[in-house]
Amino acid sequence: MTYQSVTHGAGHDARPAERYVPVAPLDLLGLLSTLWRGKLLVLFTTICAILLGGYYAFHMTSPRYQATATLQIDTTATPLRGVTEQWNGPDTDPSSLNTEVTTLSSNRILGQVVDQLNLLEDPEFNRYLQTPSPYSITAIRGRLRHLVAGTTPTAPDQTAIYEKTIQNLRGALTATRPADTYIFEISARSRSDAKAIILANVTAAAYVADQQRLTDTATRAAENWLATRVQALEAQLGAQEMAVNDLIATAQIQENAKLDGLSNQILLSEQQLDVAQDALSQLQSTSAPISPRQSAALAQLQSEITEIGAQRDRLRAQLTAQSAGLGRLHQMQREADATRALYQSFLTRLQETRVQRGLENPNSQVITAATSAQYLGPRKLLIIEIAALLGALMGLSLVILRDTLRSGVNDPTQLQGVTGLPVFAQTRQIHIHNLRHLRRAMANFAPAMRAIRTGLMLAANGRTPAVILYTASHGGEGKTDHAVALAHTLAQAGKDVLLLGADLANPDLVKHLRLQPTAGIADMIAGEALLQDALVNNTPLGFDLLLARHSSTSDDPILSDGLDSLCGVLRKRYDHIIIDAPPVMTDPTTALWAQLADAVIYGVQWSKTPLAMVQAGLDKLRDAGAPVTGLVLTKVNRRVIREGQHNTTRLWSRPALG
């Protein structure tokens, strides 16, 4: 539903109010009828789409196969893994495993596959081996790209070809990892099932070999590093041991027991010194005069004290020197011991690394090699089904578009509803080239002509009008053929019929009847010919023929004053006069001819003549005082006529068909 805004009148506040305006319902039956009328177009587009889809599926596309090889990442350590941990393989966290999946499609791995299988010589992966058609999509796209960029195409070098081959191979490979597993699945696609199997297996083997190579490289690097360190430590240890020996040799460092002896000697010297000093003090403390003997003893004690003090000082100096040298010796020995321990450790690791070489298991292994390839496509039946669907949709779209853009009338009910005039009949299009075709057309038009006669009789209270004018909006709508057919039908009924050819621009009537009139009505009015000279009696179709004029030099008879009297004579002589009048929209004299007629039949070409033009022609005749009696829908599609003939449910509600 829709709503309109209306404004209250004077005296009230100008405020918008909503008024309900119903929307015309969707004419589903009309839509279905339109689609049914266009079923041949839909069928045609569907068949064309199926043919194009089949050609694409069977001739333009190449088969695609896929083979899958399965890898497993080894997360357990080898027996010697604890000795050297220079290469532990990939980690087992999801990020590391996804990184390994990406590594599978790296240039390092794929380059080995390209070199091993010599894919540079395979046109499937090295597209430069093929010369593309200048009209192919790739060639056109390349030219457009260079045109937009303002560049010129150049031949690629070997590096670019190699990189492009790797890129094409990467597009044919897919590496996936099922969730919560250490499994890698390598899928390869190719035009050949055998090639797909080889690609999958070679790629898996290249990854395993690359992992083994990385392990060997890391082990070798560790071995070289350990060997270098062992050599350096060995030299350092030798230097340190030599320095210890030199220190012992040059400083004459004693052992700890000997140092203890020196300490004891120093202690003994100090004791002796104390005894001598005590004795000296006793001698010096006496008050009696000192005898020579005591003087000699005193001198001897002083000499001993001096000697013992000197000896004690020497022993102290020797002990101090020996203690300092011994500390230095111990420090150097500790450093040498540490170097020796480190040397022993690195030497052990070096020997174990050398033993480990060749015993390392690969960090990944192929657990399921590709043995068969799965057919991926093209799915020819699906392509054809999609093409059929697209073709049907295109056909339906064209039918709806054609019906939307069509300005003509394709339904007699619609024509009758718009004009308010009855549609007497529908006739199909018939091409007339000679008299034989004209006779066949008369037989085909007979049912429609009987319907026209019936309609005229009903409009004239049971009598067929004497003068019947047939016209149309413009030329080419079958007007003359219908006028001839109506005259022939009335003549077959035993009536005296005259066909008056008033359409001066239509020479087909005389040509089809194989007649050569020598005069026309204009000549008779001008006094240049008599009626018997202009009248053609008993034509091959049973009626008489009279032309308005037989040449383009004669005057138009409708503009002459003597035409009324001549028409009166013809009415007395013939039962019916059929006037083939000019088109209304191209010749203004048609309105004058219509004033002479008792009934006017208006032809409307099916699906071509616009309703606006039909309405304009009817208005002209109505304004001239010669309203149209009925309509005829001409040149209807044969299929529509056949549908009308077989539609028994609407037989009495449709115009007669011819």
Side-chain angles (χ1 to χ4, degrees), residues 39-248:
K39 60 181 179 294
L40 291 182
L41 177 59
V42 175
L43 181 62
F44 174 76
T45 56
T46 302
I47 293 175
C48 290
I50 290 175
L51 293 177
L52 291 175
Y55 179 78
Y56 173 79
F58 287 93
H59 295 281
M60 295 186 64
T61 59
S62 300
R64 302 292 295 177
Y65 297 90
Q66 176 174 296
T68 302
T70 305
L71 289 173
Q72 179 184 6
I73 296 296
D74 187 7
T75 60
T76 60
T78 60
L80 297 179
R81 179 65 70 189
V83 179
T84 57
E85 298 180 356
Q86 295 80 22
W87 175 251
N88 293 325
D91 294 332
T92 57
D93 60 283
S95 300
S96 299
L97 293 176
N98 292 334
T99 302
E100 291 302 313
V101 172
T102 306
T103 304
L104 280 169
S105 58
S106 63
N107 287 1
R108 186 179 72 242
I109 305 296
L110 299 186
Q112 299 176 23
V113 178
V114 170
D115 296 337
Q116 184 174 349
L117 297 181
N118 195 20
L119 296 183
L120 289 175
E121 302 299 329
D122 190 343
E124 182 178 355
F125 296 97
N126 186 4
R127 311 288 171 78
Y128 296 103
L129 296 177
Q130 300 176 345
T131 302
S133 172
Y135 304 103
S136 64
I137 297 178
T138 303
I140 295 175
R141 183 176 57 195
R143 289 197 295 269
L144 290 177
R145 183 171 61 251
H146 288 297
L147 180 62
V148 172
T151 58
T152 57
T154 57
D157 55 8
Q158 291 299 323
T159 302
I161 294 176
Y162 189 79
E163 292 292 335
K164 187 63 176 179
T165 304
I166 292 178
Q167 181 180 350
N168 294 333
L169 176 60
R170 183 180 295 110
L173 294 174
T174 302
T176 58
R177 182 183 68 88
D180 301 328
T181 65
Y182 301 126
I183 301 297
F184 293 163
E185 293 180 349
I186 302 176
S187 299
R189 297 177 299 276
S190 177
R191 300 173 185 171
S192 170
D193 53 349
K195 188 186 296 183
I197 295 173
I198 294 174
L199 286 175
N201 291 333
V202 171
T203 304
Y207 175 76
V208 173
D210 185 73
Q211 295 297 308
Q212 185 65 42
R213 181 182 60 81
L214 292 178
T215 301
D216 294 341
T217 302
T219 304
R220 189 178 299 107
E223 181 183 347
N224 295 334
W225 181 80
L226 287 174
T228 303
R229 291 300 300 160
V230 165
Q231 291 177 1
L233 290 174
E234 184 179 5
Q236 182 180 355
L237 179 59
Q240 289 176 345
E241 289 180 346
M242 185 177 296
V244 170
N245 295 331
D246 291 343
L247 180 61
I248 294 174

Side-chain angles (χ1 to χ4, degrees), residues 275-289:
V275 172
Q277 288 178 349
D278 291 341
L280 180 63
S281 297
Q282 291 178 1
L283 289 177
Q284 291 177 349
S285 62
T286 59
S287 58

Side-chain angles (χ1 to χ4, degrees), residues 343-503:
Y343 168 75
Q344 291 294 338
S345 175
F346 275 87
L347 182 60
T348 302
R349 295 180 65 179
L350 176 60
Q351 292 174 352
E352 291 175 348
T353 302
R354 289 175 176 174
V355 173
Q356 183 180 344
R357 288 188 59 186
L359 298 179
E360 281 284 353
N361 294 326
N363 297 305
S364 57
Q365 59 180 345
V366 179
I367 59 175
T368 303
T371 57
S372 61
Q374 177 187 3
Y375 180 79
L376 293 181
R379 301 178 62 180
K380 300 178 182 179
L381 182 59
L382 180 60
I383 292 176
I384 294 177
E385 291 175 352
I386 294 176
L389 177 61
L390 294 178
L393 292 177
M394 181 180 295
L396 293 175
S397 302
L398 291 177
V399 169
I400 296 175
L401 181 63
R402 182 185 63 182
D403 187 75
T404 303
L405 299 179
R406 178 182 291 159
S407 59
V409 182
N410 53 13
D411 188 0
T413 305
Q414 178 189 9
L415 180 61
Q416 182 172 346
V418 173
T419 61
L421 297 174
V423 180
F424 290 153
Q426 300 180 74
T427 60
R428 68 179 185 178
Q429 182 175 5
I430 297 179
H431 299 284
I432 301 175
H433 302 289
N434 49 44
L435 183 59
R436 180 171 60 85
H437 291 165
L438 184 60
R439 292 182 183 275
R440 184 183 302 171
M442 298 303 102
N444 292 327
F445 285 158
M449 296 302 109
R450 288 194 294 269
I452 293 175
R453 183 181 178 185
T454 301
L456 291 174
M457 293 176 66
L458 293 175
N461 297 323
R463 297 185 58 185
T464 305
V467 181
I468 303 171
L469 182 139
Y470 203 114
T471 186
S473 299
H474 53 77
E477 297 191 52
K479 169 183 60 64
T480 300
D481 297 337
H482 288 76
V484 172
L486 183 59
H488 174 70
T489 301
L490 294 174
Q492 290 291 321
K495 304 292 184 177
D496 291 332
V497 182
L498 172 67
L499 178 61
L500 198 159
D503 190 358

